[in-house]
């Protein structure tokens, strides 16, 4: 079977599960286990394959970031607190500056001895992921359209339009999620994970 045929089969399967978060998470875990980048990752001297909790933690944080939440991790307890700051002034900053407001927003992370803060992708992160996506596609015509979109006014919207028009939306979502997973892993690289 040709690579393109296999690719189309995988793409069609992704189309069937795109609304099922559990199945998509399992696909990401499988891709990680396949060692897609050819790199063997370690965290505190322990191979990731031996740390099921680590994979779960990475996926939980990546899911929260992908949904637009700021995510806090307590490195001692591995407790995660996603915070949605949409719709009102940054509750995190308010709570950090005014302890009386914490009860109103119900933020637990400010009570922790320490935390790691993960931000959702900003414009530069998203642009970098889009450039990488455009550079890694095997379809030269699509790559050219994506590059042109990135150089135009309102590049994000234009690139997403190109992706939708080329029926590559699911592929883009998987790619973007993997970029977020890589970002989370790099943020956890120096964290001592409790046993």
């Amino acid at each position: 079977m040709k690579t393109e045929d296999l690719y189309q089969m995988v793409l069609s399967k992704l189309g069937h599960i795109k609304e099922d978060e559990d199945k998509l998470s399992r696909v990401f875990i499988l891709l990680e286990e396949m060692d897609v980048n050819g790199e063997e990752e370690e965290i505190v001297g322990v191979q990731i394959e031996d740390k099921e909790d680590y994979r779960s933690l990475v996926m939980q944080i990546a899911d929260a970031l992908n949904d637009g939440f700021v995510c806090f991790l307590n490195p001692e307890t591995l407790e995660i607190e996603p915070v949605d700051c949409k719709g009102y002034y940054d509750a995190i900053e308010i709570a950090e500056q005014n302890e009386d407001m914490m009860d109103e927003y119900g933020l637990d992370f400010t009570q922790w001895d320490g935390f790691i803060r993960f931000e959702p992708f900003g414009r530069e992160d998203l642009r970098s992921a889009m450039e990488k996506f455009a550079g890694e596609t095997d379809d030269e015509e699509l790559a050219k359209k994506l590059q042109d979109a990135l150089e135009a006014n309102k590049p994000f919207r234009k690139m997403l339009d190109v992706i939708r028009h080329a029926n590559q939306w699911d592929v883009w979502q998987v790619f973007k999620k993997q970029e977020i997973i890589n970002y989370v892993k790099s943020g956890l690289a120096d964290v001592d994970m409790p046993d």
Side-chain angles (χ1 to χ4, degrees), residues 147-182:
Q147 287 297 334
D148 290 346
L150 284 169
E151 293 170 9
N153 286 339
K154 300 183 181 181
F156 300 124
R157 182 169 31 152
K158 288 190 178 168
M159 182 166 173
L160 294 177
D161 287 344
V162 169
I163 290 170
R164 280 189 192 98
H165 183 70
N167 294 321
Q168 296 292 305
W169 186 256
D170 294 336
V171 176
W172 161 247
Q173 291 300 314
V174 169
F175 184 88
K176 182 179 79 165
K177 182 73 174 275
Q178 188 59 49
E179 289 298 298
I180 293 171
I181 289 168
N182 293 342

Side-chain angles (χ1 to χ4, degrees), residues 7-188:
Y7 172 76
Q8 290 302 325
M9 284 177 53
V10 169
L11 186 58
S12 70
K13 297 291 183 193
L14 284 175
H16 293 292
I17 66 168
K18 69 181 178 183
E19 300 299 323
D20 188 328
E21 197 168 316
D22 182 53
K23 287 181 182 175
L24 281 175
S25 292
R26 285 188 273 164
V27 169
F28 285 117
I29 290 169
L30 177 64
L31 289 173
E32 283 182 335
E33 289 172 356
M34 290 173 56
D35 194 21
V36 176
N37 296 326
E39 301 168 0
E40 194 157 303
E41 298 182 62
E42 289 191 12
I43 183 164
V44 194
V46 178
Q47 289 188 0
I48 286 180
E49 300 86 58
D50 299 335
K51 293 290 228 173
E52 186 64 37
D53 291 342
Y54 174 79
R55 279 196 293 263
S56 175
L57 180 73
V58 168
M59 289 308 297
Q60 289 176 49
I61 295 170
D63 287 342
L65 297 178
N66 197 38
D67 290 339
F69 289 80
V70 175
C71 197
F72 294 89
L73 168 68
N74 183 331
E76 293 176 11
T77 64
L78 301 184
E79 183 180 355
I80 297 171
E81 183 172 20
V83 179
D84 184 5
C85 292
K86 298 175 188 167
Y88 53 87
Y89 186 73
D90 191 344
I92 297 165
E93 302 299 326
I94 292 171
E96 287 174 337
Q97 295 171 13
N98 185 352
E99 289 185 23
D100 297 336
M101 302 282 292
M102 278 192 300
D103 290 337
E104 182 178 337
Y105 292 109
L107 301 175
D108 296 326
F109 76 90
T110 56
Q111 302 298 314
W112 299 342
D113 289 336
F115 58 81
I116 301 169
R117 179 177 175 155
F118 292 91
E119 297 282 341
F121 269 16
R123 294 183 70 77
E124 289 303 313
D125 299 312
L126 188 57
R127 182 175 186 86
S128 176
M130 288 179 161
E131 288 171 348
K132 190 173 176 183
F133 181 74
E136 291 185 11
T137 184
D138 293 333
D139 184 335
E140 290 179 24
E141 183 180 338
L142 176 60
K144 174 72 172 122
K145 288 179 183 178
L146 292 171
Q147 287 297 334
D148 290 346
L150 284 169
E151 293 170 9
N153 286 339
K154 300 183 181 181
F156 300 124
R157 182 169 31 152
K158 288 190 178 168
M159 182 166 173
L160 294 177
D161 287 344
V162 169
I163 290 170
R164 280 189 192 98
H165 183 70
N167 294 321
Q168 296 292 305
W169 186 256
D170 294 336
V171 176
W172 161 247
Q173 291 300 314
V174 169
F175 184 88
K176 182 179 79 165
K177 182 73 174 275
Q178 188 59 49
E179 289 298 298
I180 293 171
I181 289 168
N182 293 342
Y183 160 71
V184 171
K185 285 180 178 180
S186 70
L188 293 173

